[in-house]
Amino acid sequence: MRWLRPVIITLGLMLLWQLIVWLTDAPHFILPGPLRVLETLIAQFPLLMKHAGITLAEILLGLLLGTLLGLISALSLVTWGGLRRWLMPVLVVSQAIPVFALAPVLMLWLGYGMASKVAMATLIIYFPVTAACFDGLRQTPTGYLQLARTLGANRRAQLLQIRLPAALPAFGSGLRVAASVAPIGAVVGEWVGSSTGLGYLMLNANARMQVDLMFAALMVLAVMALALYFSVNLIARRLTPWLQESTSSTTRGDSQ
């Protein structure tokens, strides 16, 4: 049933889409039906996969860099209080600037290649990962830290063996958010300026009134985003097996 539910939801959305096309009698260059989009998806599959590979590489590189930088920043903020007083205001102020407004600047600095798109995805991922991991590190139960100090653990041992494991649930939440927004950064970067990628293909198809191709590219992007999210979710669940065990125990207790 767990695998059947997404299939039923997808079919229901397709049926609703087709009903809207029938009821509004929209022309195909405004709103193509799902069958027409599927036909275009099959016919243009090699082209779509070529551009999808570029976009996927940008997303994965941005996710990797954003996660690493966010984790390092969170660890630095927790470890050095003086750095926290200087860096936290910068992080807060940086969120007041729309990240999308930086896309043209990144294009100017890094060019129209993959580097600017990876930088865009990294920037949009960086703050959610940093904030989630920092909150998790700060909210480590004080009893664990006091027990570690009593046993003679130094700050490094407390960080690696107490704080980091305790912060994993929050870090997993940050990774889920990062996986959700990473495709946005890459595609917006491609919209601003690119010659490859699904974002470029969508803009090019829209300019030529090939709306069915644009929808096909959007469907490929949606599948990629869902696969990325569920993959990250699986990794986060594997990193925190005790949460699944506690949830199962609670469920059994409630059922009894």
Side-chain angles (χ1 to χ4, degrees):
M1 188 63 188
R2 184 177 63 180
W3 296 104
L4 185 60
R5 190 180 298 113
V7 175
I8 295 174
I9 293 174
T10 301
L11 291 177
L13 291 174
M14 291 290 184
L15 180 59
L16 178 61
W17 180 1
Q18 186 63 56
L19 285 174
I20 293 174
V21 173
W22 284 338
L23 292 175
T24 59
D25 197 22
H28 66 85
F29 57 86
I30 297 296
L31 181 61
L35 293 179
R36 187 183 183 92
V37 173
L38 287 176
E39 290 175 359
T40 303
L41 178 62
I42 295 171
Q44 300 291 340
F45 190 76
L47 177 66
L48 288 165
M49 289 302 100
K50 173 187 174 182
H51 290 280
I54 301 296
T55 302
L56 181 60
E58 294 166 356
I59 293 171
L60 293 177
L61 286 173
L63 184 61
L64 178 62
L65 290 176
T67 301
L68 287 176
L69 290 175
L71 180 59
I72 292 172
S73 298
L75 291 173
S76 301
L77 291 172
V78 168
T79 304
W80 296 292
L83 179 63
R84 181 165 63 247
R85 288 190 292 270
W86 287 95
L87 189 56
M88 277 302 294
V90 176
L91 290 175
V92 173
V93 171
S94 67
Q95 293 308 295
I97 303 173
V99 179
F100 304 130
L102 297 176
V105 179
L106 293 176
M107 298 296 164
L108 179 63
W109 290 347
L110 302 176
Y112 287 86
M114 184 180 290
S116 56
K117 285 73 177 178
V118 173
M120 187 71 183
T122 301
L123 284 176
I124 203 171
I125 288 166
Y126 171 71
F127 186 79
V129 173
T130 303
C133 189
F134 178 60
D135 286 341
L137 291 169
R138 283 196 310 169
Q139 294 172 7
T140 304
T142 55
Y144 294 171
L145 296 175
Q146 291 173 357
L147 179 60
R149 295 190 193 101
T150 302
L151 295 175
N154 56 27
R155 294 187 64 183
R156 180 182 178 184
Q158 292 177 34
L159 179 63
L160 296 178
Q161 300 178 21
I162 305 295
R163 285 183 177 271
L164 272 179
L168 283 178
F171 182 56
S173 299
L175 284 179
R176 293 183 183 94
V177 174
S180 301
V181 299
I184 300 174
V187 171
V188 168
E190 291 172 352
W191 283 347
V192 173
S194 179
S195 59
T196 54
L198 288 176
Y200 162 78
L201 184 62
M202 291 168 66
L203 275 183
N204 194 35
N206 184 49
R208 298 183 179 186
M209 298 297 291
Q210 297 175 324
V211 184
D212 50 350
L213 179 58
M214 185 176 66
F215 270 83
L218 186 60
M219 289 179 65
V220 173
L221 181 64
V223 171
M224 284 171 45
L226 286 173
L228 181 63
Y229 176 83
F230 285 115
S231 299
V232 170
N233 183 56
L234 180 61
I235 294 172
R237 290 169 64 90
R238 292 289 178 86
L239 289 175
T240 55
W242 61 89
L243 290 181
Q244 277 55 254
E245 293 176 1
S246 62
T247 303
S248 301
S249 301
T250 304
T251 304
R252 287 196 298 267
D254 293 340
S255 60
Q256 292 175 358

